[in-house]
Amino acid sequence: MSSWLFQLKPVGIYAKKYEWAARPSTPSGGSLHLDLHPPPMQIGGDCSLWIRSATLDFDDGLWECQVTASDFTTQDALTSQPVRLVVRVAPQRPRLEYEGTHVPPGHNITVDSGSLATAKCVSHYGNPPATLKWFLGDQEIEPIHLQTNITEPDNPRTWSATSVVQLTAMRERHGDILRCLAFHESYTAKSVPVEARLDIKYAPTIRLIGSPEIDLEEDKDALILRCVADANPPASIVWRRAGRSEIASLQETLQLRPVGRRDAGLYTCQAQNSVGTSEQLSVQLDVKYPPKILSAGPDRLTTAPFISHGSKYVERGHEPRLVIDNVTYDYQGEYECRAANYINGQERVAISEPVSLQVVGAPQILRLHPSMHTVLTRRGDAATLTFIVCADPRPQRVAWEWGSLRLDAGSATDRFRADDLLQDAREDCYLSTLHIHHTNEHDARPYYLVVENERGSDRHAIQLNVEEPLEMSYLLGIAGGCLAAIFILICLCIYALRVKKCCFKGKNWKLFVYFLFFSQ
């Protein structure tokens, strides 16, 4: 006869709870099968036990099977070795503790830099106890000793697992994640984590961003200096200027938009938090500024003046006072006083308000450079003759003259056309142009431009030269050379015959002359 004992106490056979496995039946959910077979030499059967709907309170513990003797005289009774039946119970979610205080999920562990931080991970009410592991970031770290497992005081059938880790708080670990991972077969995901962010407090260190590497120019450049502090908790920033008692700024950024000459000086920044104070960093600010013309006008010039022609400047003098003798239309325009210095290798120029000079008088045909007094063209090509005329008031009469001919501006005759006056880029100056089509050798001559207004007149010439085309000139040159050579030879022969120094006699000289002519 066989029987089962639980924790050394006999267990009866109860339907739907404890049943013999040899009885045909379908096991229900949550059943456990404890097998016990007698040795082959004994007569008996299967003593295995079905434990249905196992629970922690009634089934977790030591089980053993006993078989009574077949006869009181044989003494063949049997007792099995105890078997530990563990009914798994998922532990609660692990929790972190720091300095005896629970750290809720998502909260920080705050510790001063250089200190030793001790954190505890506890897993309650599990059976068997959970296995605890520590991670700092992705790196596994070892606890200070093996985890301890003790039964829960209020539920001795369950376990409390505890693991302790120690870390040296360094600023490099600020923001790292400390994670405790509890492993248990009853967890759905086999493991449950709990973690906290390391909040390492440390004194500030600072660095300067935006220190000027080149000269700053007044009213042009902006200065943005940043005093960047690395600190926990965040540090307060103080900007000061040497020689002044007031604070320049309490912000991380010191802005001067734009800089002025009064902003020049030595600036320092420093950061402070509850842990400590940073060193002082300083930057020297030097502000450059271009020259400024205080006044300019007639008889008040203070620097070298210039006259503007379009985008170019014509230098007229370097003295504080500009005196112009024999004024012509070339001097008409706006005069500016310019002063310059160099900042960062670049010229900075101050320009006064323009002073206008107006020239009034008789027309003036601008005399060109001597090399431009002549226009050269080929026979058959067109020629264009142009003069620049300046006059105030505007010319009333403009004409081109050559030989006995005269052609007014805006008119044409035969191969000649004179354009109307066109405004030049310069004030009170105009372009007068004569066009000649299909030029020939008779067109080579001087052409005069005559200009008149109510204050007077002017007249000036430009020479037109007409060349023969290159091919014809070359052929004519060759032909002329050949004829000249023949003529010289004939003259030499005649001279030789007359002085009787030639060896030809009778008709021989006539044959020689004939050969000379026709061989050419």
Side-chain angles (χ1 to χ4, degrees), residues 362-367 385-391 394-411 418-421 430-434 446-453 456-462:
Q364 180 186 16
I365 300 174
L366 299 188
R367 271 52 174 173
L385 311 180
T386 301
F387 270 122
I388 298 176
V389 179
C390 296
R394 183 185 175 96
Q396 300 170 339
R397 186 176 181 186
V398 179
W400 285 86
E401 297 178 350
W402 64 98
S404 60
L405 298 179
R406 179 186 181 94
L407 186 62
D408 291 332
S411 61
D419 291 344
D420 283 324
L421 287 182
Y430 312 90
L431 293 177
S432 180
T433 304
L434 175 66
Y447 291 81
Y448 292 86
L449 176 64
V450 180
V451 185
E452 298 178 5
N453 71 358
S457 63
D458 195 11
R459 185 172 186 266
H460 195 59
I462 186 170

Side-chain angles (χ1 to χ4, degrees), residues 123-126 129 147-153 155-156 158-162:
S123 172
H124 289 288
Y125 300 105
Q147 75 176 54
T148 58
N149 303 317
I150 59 174
T151 58
E152 297 285 359
N155 188 355
T158 58
W159 297 84
S160 172
T162 303

